[in-house]
Amino acid sequence: MNERLPLFPLGTVLFPGMLLPLHLFEERYRRLMRDREGASPLFGVVLTRQGREVSDEPAIHPVGTAAELVGSGRYPDGRYDLVVRGGRRFRVGGEDWSNGYLTAEVDWLGDEPAGDDRQERLRAQARQVARAYEGFLVAFERANRVELRREELPEEPEELAYAVCVRLPLDPWERQRLLEQPAAGELLEALLGVLRRERGLLLETGTGGATVERPGQRFTAN
């Protein structure tokens, strides 16, 4: 079903399940907060394709993620600090800036229910991804002479895939490519290729891994 949703263009990708802190200072986003009080999802997050996040109407990528409000605080001058969590993915339809901020008709995306055979294939893919991620972490530790604390990954294949996506030190365009994978199987396959490539780069060059230890901890000023 289509739904009209306010959109928040950012220079980062919000994955399902990912926590994202935000600082809202532009008047158009203060207005969005007033307009959406009590709404869930609060807005959708989309990656900017061209143009600036601030004081602009940037071009955006066609797939984004709904943002569910986790917590918020309001300053006396009207600015907000928020923490949101990624929810359902969507595809953007017609865009509209007439409210002062971007809104669009969105089509919600999601996997069809998996039968037993397909679910077992997804679990096997997820185990491969988990092993490849551990191999990446070991390579990172060796290259940087550090020891990383391990976190337990989700068991459900799609949730595991997005949890790994959040932790990988990838450019926004590649995060967007992973977000746009049409279903869990394609996402796991693409992610496995990324992990093998990044591990190889670490072993050969000793570079990478900038966001592995503390994913999603920095505020994005918008």
Side-chain angles (χ1 to χ4, degrees):
M1 294 180 61
N2 290 349
E3 181 176 340
R4 179 155 291 277
L5 189 68
L7 300 184
F8 201 138
L10 289 173
T12 190
V13 172
L14 177 65
F15 287 110
M18 173 181 169
L19 292 176
L20 180 66
L22 297 166
H23 178 65
L24 309 187
F25 61 85
E26 283 192 88
E27 175 54 36
R28 56 181 170 179
Y29 295 122
R30 301 184 198 189
R31 185 183 311 122
L32 185 155
M33 291 295 293
R34 295 192 294 269
D35 292 347
R36 295 291 288 180
E37 184 176 2
S40 184
L42 187 60
F43 47 72
V45 172
V46 286
L47 179 66
T48 56
R49 183 167 50 84
Q50 186 177 5
R52 300 175 301 167
E53 294 178 6
V54 179
S55 302
D56 203 351
E57 297 182 3
I60 60 171
H61 285 268
V63 173
T65 307
E68 308 284 349
L69 183 64
V70 175
S72 66
R74 187 175 184 272
Y75 293 91
D77 64 3
R79 293 176 295 126
Y80 289 86
D81 281 340
L82 309 179
V83 177
V84 298
R85 178 184 287 112
R88 301 165 66 188
R89 296 181 306 133
F90 57 80
R91 184 172 297 278
V92 177
E95 300 175 24
D96 182 7
W97 286 91
S98 62
N99 287 337
Y101 52 80
L102 177 60
T103 65
E105 294 287 337
V106 301
D107 291 318
W108 297 107
L109 304 177
D111 256 353
E112 294 294 324
D116 291 343
D117 290 345
R118 180 168 176 267
Q119 189 63 33
E120 186 51 44
R121 288 196 299 273
L122 290 176
R123 291 193 189 100
Q125 286 180 286
R127 290 192 291 270
Q128 282 187 299
V129 166
R131 288 193 294 269
Y133 179 58
E134 176 61 24
F136 167 79
L137 293 179
V138 170
F140 174 85
E141 289 175 323
R142 291 175 179 172
N144 294 276
R145 299 179 182 178
V146 298
E147 183 175 344
L148 296 175
R149 179 175 59 87
R150 300 300 194 265
E151 295 178 318
E152 187 174 350
L153 295 174
E155 293 184 4
E156 196 279 324
E158 189 174 42
E159 291 180 9
L160 180 146
Y162 285 127
V164 173
C165 286
V166 169
R167 289 160 172 79
L168 284 179
L170 303 175
D171 288 334
W173 68 267
E174 187 150 45
R175 288 174 170 251
Q176 182 68 28
R177 182 177 72 88
L178 292 170
L179 183 72
E180 292 184 7
Q181 294 300 314
E186 288 88 338
L187 171 61
L188 288 161
E189 182 179 357
L191 185 55
L192 185 60
V194 169
L195 284 164
R196 288 171 173 169
R197 183 199 70 205
E198 291 298 306
R199 178 178 180 272
L201 287 171
L202 278 170
L203 294 176
E204 291 178 14
T205 69
T207 61
T211 64
V212 168
E213 192 168 15
R214 298 187 65 191
Q217 294 298 313
R218 291 176 295 178
F219 271 74
T220 299
N222 281 282

PDB file of all heavy atoms in Angstrom, residues 76-90:
ATOM      1  N   PRO A  76      15.431  24.975  24.382  1.00  0.00           N
ATOM      2  CA  PRO A  76      14.555  26.156  24.483  1.00  0.00           C
ATOM      3  C   PRO A  76      14.428  26.932  23.185  1.00  0.00           C
ATOM      4  O   PRO A  76      13.391  27.559  22.931  1.00  0.00           O
ATOM      5  CB  PRO A  76      15.240  27.001  25.573  1.00  0.00           C
ATOM      6  CG  PRO A  76      15.982  26.017  26.409  1.00  0.00           C
ATOM      7  CD  PRO A  76      16.462  24.963  25.447  1.00  0.00           C
ATOM      8  N   ASP A  77      15.466  26.905  22.340  1.00  0.00           N
ATOM      9  CA  ASP A  77      15.403  27.649  21.081  1.00  0.00           C
ATOM     10  C   ASP A  77      14.729  26.862  19.960  1.00  0.00           C
ATOM     11  O   ASP A  77      14.662  27.332  18.826  1.00  0.00           O
ATOM     12  CB  ASP A  77      16.804  28.090  20.648  1.00  0.00           C
ATOM     13  CG  ASP A  77      17.731  26.920  20.341  1.00  0.00           C
ATOM     14  OD1 ASP A  77      17.285  25.759  20.405  1.00  0.00           O
ATOM     15  OD2 ASP A  77      18.918  27.176  20.047  1.00  0.00           O
ATOM     16  N   GLY A  78      14.220  25.668  20.249  1.00  0.00           N
ATOM     17  CA  GLY A  78      13.473  24.911  19.251  1.00  0.00           C
ATOM     18  C   GLY A  78      14.234  23.815  18.547  1.00  0.00           C
ATOM     19  O   GLY A  78      13.649  23.045  17.777  1.00  0.00           O
ATOM     20  N   ARG A  79      15.533  23.710  18.801  1.00  0.00           N
ATOM     21  CA  ARG A  79      16.302  22.608  18.216  1.00  0.00           C
ATOM     22  C   ARG A  79      15.949  21.293  18.906  1.00  0.00           C
ATOM     23  O   ARG A  79      15.471  21.289  20.031  1.00  0.00           O
ATOM     24  CB  ARG A  79      17.805  22.865  18.338  1.00  0.00           C
ATOM     25  CG  ARG A  79      18.310  24.042  17.516  1.00  0.00           C
ATOM     26  CD  ARG A  79      19.785  24.299  17.770  1.00  0.00           C
ATOM     27  NE  ARG A  79      20.019  24.717  19.157  1.00  0.00           N
ATOM     28  CZ  ARG A  79      20.881  24.130  19.984  1.00  0.00           C
ATOM     29  NH1 ARG A  79      21.579  23.075  19.596  1.00  0.00           N
ATOM     30  NH2 ARG A  79      21.028  24.586  21.226  1.00  0.00           N
ATOM     31  N   TYR A  80      16.226  20.173  18.210  1.00  0.00           N
ATOM     32  CA  TYR A  80      15.930  18.854  18.753  1.00  0.00           C
ATOM     33  C   TYR A  80      17.167  17.959  18.671  1.00  0.00           C
ATOM     34  O   TYR A  80      17.929  18.031  17.692  1.00  0.00           O
ATOM     35  CB  TYR A  80      14.822  18.158  17.948  1.00  0.00           C
ATOM     36  CG  TYR A  80      13.441  18.720  18.117  1.00  0.00           C
ATOM     37  CD1 TYR A  80      13.008  19.795  17.334  1.00  0.00           C
ATOM     38  CD2 TYR A  80      12.547  18.163  19.030  1.00  0.00           C
ATOM     39  CE1 TYR A  80      11.720  20.296  17.469  1.00  0.00           C
ATOM     40  CE2 TYR A  80      11.262  18.665  19.169  1.00  0.00           C
ATOM     41  CZ  TYR A  80      10.860  19.727  18.382  1.00  0.00           C
ATOM     42  OH  TYR A  80       9.586  20.221  18.511  1.00  0.00           O
ATOM     43  N   ASP A  81      17.335  17.114  19.672  1.00  0.00           N
ATOM     44  CA  ASP A  81      18.183  15.932  19.577  1.00  0.00           C
ATOM     45  C   ASP A  81      17.267  14.721  19.539  1.00  0.00           C
ATOM     46  O   ASP A  81      16.339  14.604  20.355  1.00  0.00           O
ATOM     47  CB  ASP A  81      19.130  15.811  20.778  1.00  0.00           C
ATOM     48  CG  ASP A  81      20.343  16.716  20.660  1.00  0.00           C
ATOM     49  OD1 ASP A  81      20.661  17.133  19.526  1.00  0.00           O
ATOM     50  OD2 ASP A  81      20.972  16.998  21.690  1.00  0.00           O
ATOM     51  N   LEU A  82      17.516  13.838  18.574  1.00  0.00           N
ATOM     52  CA  LEU A  82      16.700  12.639  18.419  1.00  0.00           C
ATOM     53  C   LEU A  82      17.585  11.407  18.369  1.00  0.00           C
ATOM     54  O   LEU A  82      18.751  11.478  17.958  1.00  0.00           O
ATOM     55  CB  LEU A  82      15.907  12.657  17.102  1.00  0.00           C
ATOM     56  CG  LEU A  82      15.061  13.857  16.715  1.00  0.00           C
ATOM     57  CD1 LEU A  82      14.429  13.597  15.354  1.00  0.00           C
ATOM     58  CD2 LEU A  82      14.002  14.105  17.761  1.00  0.00           C
ATOM     59  N   VAL A  83      17.018  10.282  18.741  1.00  0.00           N
ATOM     60  CA  VAL A  83      17.563   8.980  18.387  1.00  0.00           C
ATOM     61  C   VAL A  83      16.434   8.216  17.717  1.00  0.00           C
ATOM     62  O   VAL A  83      15.337   8.096  18.272  1.00  0.00           O
ATOM     63  CB  VAL A  83      18.086   8.210  19.606  1.00  0.00           C
ATOM     64  CG1 VAL A  83      18.577   6.823  19.176  1.00  0.00           C
ATOM     65  CG2 VAL A  83      19.212   8.970  20.289  1.00  0.00           C
ATOM     66  N   VAL A  84      16.700   7.733  16.487  1.00  0.00           N
ATOM     67  CA  VAL A  84      15.705   6.969  15.746  1.00  0.00           C
ATOM     68  C   VAL A  84      16.261   5.581  15.445  1.00  0.00           C
ATOM     69  O   VAL A  84      17.478   5.369  15.438  1.00  0.00           O
ATOM     70  CB  VAL A  84      15.288   7.671  14.435  1.00  0.00           C
ATOM     71  CG1 VAL A  84      14.656   9.022  14.727  1.00  0.00           C
ATOM     72  CG2 VAL A  84      16.481   7.836  13.492  1.00  0.00           C
ATOM     73  N   ARG A  85      15.357   4.657  15.195  1.00  0.00           N
ATOM     74  CA  ARG A  85      15.737   3.294  14.806  1.00  0.00           C
ATOM     75  C   ARG A  85      15.153   2.983  13.439  1.00  0.00           C
ATOM     76  O   ARG A  85      13.989   3.289  13.165  1.00  0.00           O
ATOM     77  CB  ARG A  85      15.244   2.272  15.825  1.00  0.00           C
ATOM     78  CG  ARG A  85      15.577   0.818  15.446  1.00  0.00           C
ATOM     79  CD  ARG A  85      15.011  -0.194  16.419  1.00  0.00           C
ATOM     80  NE  ARG A  85      15.752  -0.186  17.675  1.00  0.00           N
ATOM     81  CZ  ARG A  85      15.253   0.236  18.824  1.00  0.00           C
ATOM     82  NH1 ARG A  85      14.007   0.707  18.884  1.00  0.00           N
ATOM     83  NH2 ARG A  85      15.984   0.204  19.920  1.00  0.00           N
ATOM     84  N   GLY A  86      15.958   2.373  12.589  1.00  0.00           N
ATOM     85  CA  GLY A  86      15.490   2.004  11.267  1.00  0.00           C
ATOM     86  C   GLY A  86      14.410   0.939  11.318  1.00  0.00           C
ATOM     87  O   GLY A  86      14.524  -0.046  12.053  1.00  0.00           O
ATOM     88  N   GLY A  87      13.366   1.140  10.522  1.00  0.00           N
ATOM     89  CA  GLY A  87      12.257   0.194  10.449  1.00  0.00           C
ATOM     90  C   GLY A  87      12.143  -0.421   9.069  1.00  0.00           C
ATOM     91  O   GLY A  87      13.099  -0.972   8.533  1.00  0.00           O
ATOM     92  N   ARG A  88      10.971  -0.278   8.443  1.00  0.00           N
ATOM     93  CA  ARG A  88      10.726  -0.884   7.138  1.00  0.00           C
ATOM     94  C   ARG A  88      11.397  -0.085   6.026  1.00  0.00           C
ATOM     95  O   ARG A  88      11.527   1.133   6.107  1.00  0.00           O
ATOM     96  CB  ARG A  88       9.215  -0.952   6.871  1.00  0.00           C
ATOM     97  CG  ARG A  88       8.450  -1.756   7.900  1.00  0.00           C
ATOM     98  CD  ARG A  88       6.960  -1.484   7.805  1.00  0.00           C
ATOM     99  NE  ARG A  88       6.377  -1.956   6.552  1.00  0.00           N
ATOM    100  CZ  ARG A  88       5.135  -1.702   6.162  1.00  0.00           C
ATOM    101  NH1 ARG A  88       4.343  -0.932   6.903  1.00  0.00           N
ATOM    102  NH2 ARG A  88       4.673  -2.179   5.023  1.00  0.00           N
ATOM    103  N   ARG A  89      11.784  -0.782   4.964  1.00  0.00           N
ATOM    104  CA  ARG A  89      12.320  -0.120   3.774  1.00  0.00           C
ATOM    105  C   ARG A  89      11.166   0.304   2.864  1.00  0.00           C
ATOM    106  O   ARG A  89      10.083  -0.269   2.901  1.00  0.00           O
ATOM    107  CB  ARG A  89      13.251  -1.052   3.005  1.00  0.00           C
ATOM    108  CG  ARG A  89      14.495  -1.469   3.752  1.00  0.00           C
ATOM    109  CD  ARG A  89      15.379  -2.371   2.888  1.00  0.00           C
ATOM    110  NE  ARG A  89      14.606  -3.501   2.394  1.00  0.00           N
ATOM    111  CZ  ARG A  89      14.605  -3.920   1.121  1.00  0.00           C
ATOM    112  NH1 ARG A  89      15.306  -3.288   0.203  1.00  0.00           N
ATOM    113  NH2 ARG A  89      13.884  -4.971   0.757  1.00  0.00           N
ATOM    114  N   PHE A  90      11.440   1.310   2.040  1.00  0.00           N
ATOM    115  CA  PHE A  90      10.428   1.785   1.110  1.00  0.00           C
ATOM    116  C   PHE A  90      11.085   2.272  -0.171  1.00  0.00           C
ATOM    117  O   PHE A  90      12.283   2.576  -0.208  1.00  0.00           O
ATOM    118  CB  PHE A  90       9.589   2.915   1.722  1.00  0.00           C
ATOM    119  CG  PHE A  90      10.403   4.104   2.192  1.00  0.00           C
ATOM    120  CD1 PHE A  90      10.846   5.064   1.288  1.00  0.00           C
ATOM    121  CD2 PHE A  90      10.724   4.251   3.530  1.00  0.00           C
ATOM    122  CE1 PHE A  90      11.596   6.156   1.713  1.00  0.00           C
ATOM    123  CE2 PHE A  90      11.477   5.335   3.966  1.00  0.00           C
ATOM    124  CZ  PHE A  90      11.913   6.287   3.049  1.00  0.00           C
TER     125      PHE A  90
END
